[in-house]
Amino acid sequence: MTTVTDLYPTRGTTEVSVPRQDPVVWGGPDTPGPVTAAELQAYERDGFLACEQLIGDEEVGVYHAELERLVADPAIRADARSIVEPRSKEIRSVFEVHRISEVFASLVRDERVVGRARQILGSDVYVHQSRINVKPGFGASGFYWHSDFETWHAEDGLPNMRTVSVSIALTENYATNGGLMIMPGSHRTFLGCAGATPEDNYKKSLQMQDAGTPSDEALTAMASAYGIRLFTGRAGSATWFDCNAMHGSGDNITPFPRSNVFIVFNSVENKAVEPFAAPIRRPEYIGARDFTPVR
């Protein structure tokens, strides 16, 4: 068995800060795709790229209707891939939607989507994770500050930072309904969190994160250094962000829901190995082991 060097130690006895060891943009200037050179430079600098309108109004209607269909389906609710809000008992997320739904599978294959991922990562890509997030009004809980890569490295075995996520809004993102927040530039520093990973940690972390949570002191230092950007926008807008960007979202106590489809693309040259800091792998509907390129 080939030993993979752990470039990003985490889940030890103490919190550690490590400079990023990987490129941010892996594709070269001649890599084809819909992202402009200026946009790639901004992504390299900030760790994210906002798109005011990735999909049109009619397409939003199609995808939102499919989200509503899935959430209303009793079979989907009973499926292990559905995560339920602990308080309201409403569905919070449905994972692996590109396998459950051909509608969302077609979105993954859309060149406006997968083309950007190939361009940023400089290779063919596969879907490491997909889900719909349903953040209904009147008390849907947020996602605490975290780096996705910290979890994907520790619990899924992704060796390098060669992964990009896109969040496509299917409802209006207001400044008040629990929108995505990112610390610009934070993707250049890896924060290895303190504390061992419990077995089956994913069952708890998908509702309320504990393992892999940065300290208040580290978050204060990062926010002071980088600031915080809140993303707003109409339905059909999208935010692309680097796997190591420090991000989170607040609770939604407004009457206005905030729903989105979330797709994680990983390079086929960065396939998952065994977890670096967890006793067992997470289920494949959370961290894929099918590395088939998106076509």
Side-chain angles (χ1 to χ4, degrees), residues 1 17 21 26 35 41 87 105 113 142-143 163 182 186 192 214 220 222 224 248-249 251 255 265 288 291 295:
M1 181 180 294
S17 180
Q21 305 295 304
W26 292 73
V35 187
Q41 288 177 349
R87 286 179 294 181
V113 178
F143 292 87
T163 314
I182 296 179
S186 59
T220 299
M222 294 184 84
S224 298
S249 64
D251 295 351
F265 293 101
F291 309 127
R295 297 292 186 217

Side-chain angles (χ1 to χ4, degrees), residues 5-43:
T5 302
D6 185 359
L7 298 176
Y8 302 104
T10 189
R11 311 285 174 97
T13 55
T14 59
E15 193 172 58
V16 295
S17 180
V18 178
R20 184 187 187 106
Q21 305 295 304
D22 294 303
V24 177
V25 176
W26 292 73
D30 298 327
T31 305
V35 187
T36 68
E39 288 173 331
L40 284 174
Q41 288 177 349
Y43 182 87

Side-chain angles (χ1 to χ4, degrees), residues 134-151:
V134 185
K135 209 170 192 182
F138 301 116
S141 54
F143 292 87
Y144 197 69
W145 290 105
H146 64 286
S147 153
D148 286 330
F149 179 76
E150 192 279 337
T151 297

Side-chain angles (χ1 to χ4, degrees), residues 217-233:
E217 293 78 12
L219 289 171
T220 299
M222 294 184 84
S224 298
Y226 301 120
I228 297 172
R229 166 78 183 271
L230 170 66
F231 293 86
T232 59

Side-chain angles (χ1 to χ4, degrees), residues 20-173:
R20 184 187 187 106
Q21 305 295 304
D22 294 303
V24 177
V25 176
W26 292 73
D30 298 327
T31 305
V35 187
T36 68
E39 288 173 331
L40 284 174
Q41 288 177 349
Y43 182 87
E44 171 95 28
R45 180 190 67 234
D46 298 328
F48 61 79
L49 179 64
C51 181
E52 292 185 4
Q53 185 174 29
L54 182 67
I55 58 175
D57 293 342
E58 288 188 12
E59 294 171 293
V60 168
V62 170
Y63 295 123
H64 191 267
E66 180 69 353
L67 177 148
E68 294 286 351
R69 184 189 72 79
L70 292 172
V71 170
D73 186 340
I76 296 297
R77 183 181 181 86
D79 195 294
R81 290 173 286 191
S82 292
I83 309 301
V84 177
E85 282 279 352
R87 286 179 294 181
S88 69
K89 304 305 180 184
E90 293 187 70
I91 287 181
R92 173 192 182 106
S93 301
V94 179
F95 281 80
E96 215 172 37
V97 288
H98 71 295
R99 297 194 183 278
I100 294 174
S101 163
E102 177 53 37
V103 173
F104 285 116
S106 67
L107 179 62
V108 166
R109 297 189 299 265
D110 191 309
E111 193 59 28
R112 292 170 296 178
V113 178
V114 69
R116 282 175 165 83
R118 292 193 193 106
Q119 193 175 2
I120 291 169
L121 301 180
S123 70
D124 279 333
V125 298
Y126 70 93
V127 177
H128 177 70
Q129 184 186 105
S130 73
R131 66 179 187 261
I132 49 173
N133 291 325
V134 185
K135 209 170 192 182
F138 301 116
S141 54
F143 292 87
Y144 197 69
W145 290 105
H146 64 286
S147 153
D148 286 330
F149 179 76
E150 192 279 337
T151 297
W152 298 337
H153 182 70
E155 301 186 38
D156 296 337
L158 294 192
N160 296 97
M161 296 179 181
R162 198 170 179 179
T163 314
V164 63
S165 302
V166 59
S167 175
I168 304 172
L170 300 180
T171 55
E172 184 89 9
N173 282 261

Side-chain angles (χ1 to χ4, degrees), residues 204-228:
K204 179 181 178 182
S205 67
L206 295 177
Q207 292 182 329
M208 187 65 66
Q209 193 159 353
D210 186 12
T213 302
S215 68
D216 291 353
E217 293 78 12
L219 289 171
T220 299
M222 294 184 84
S224 298
Y226 301 120
I228 297 172

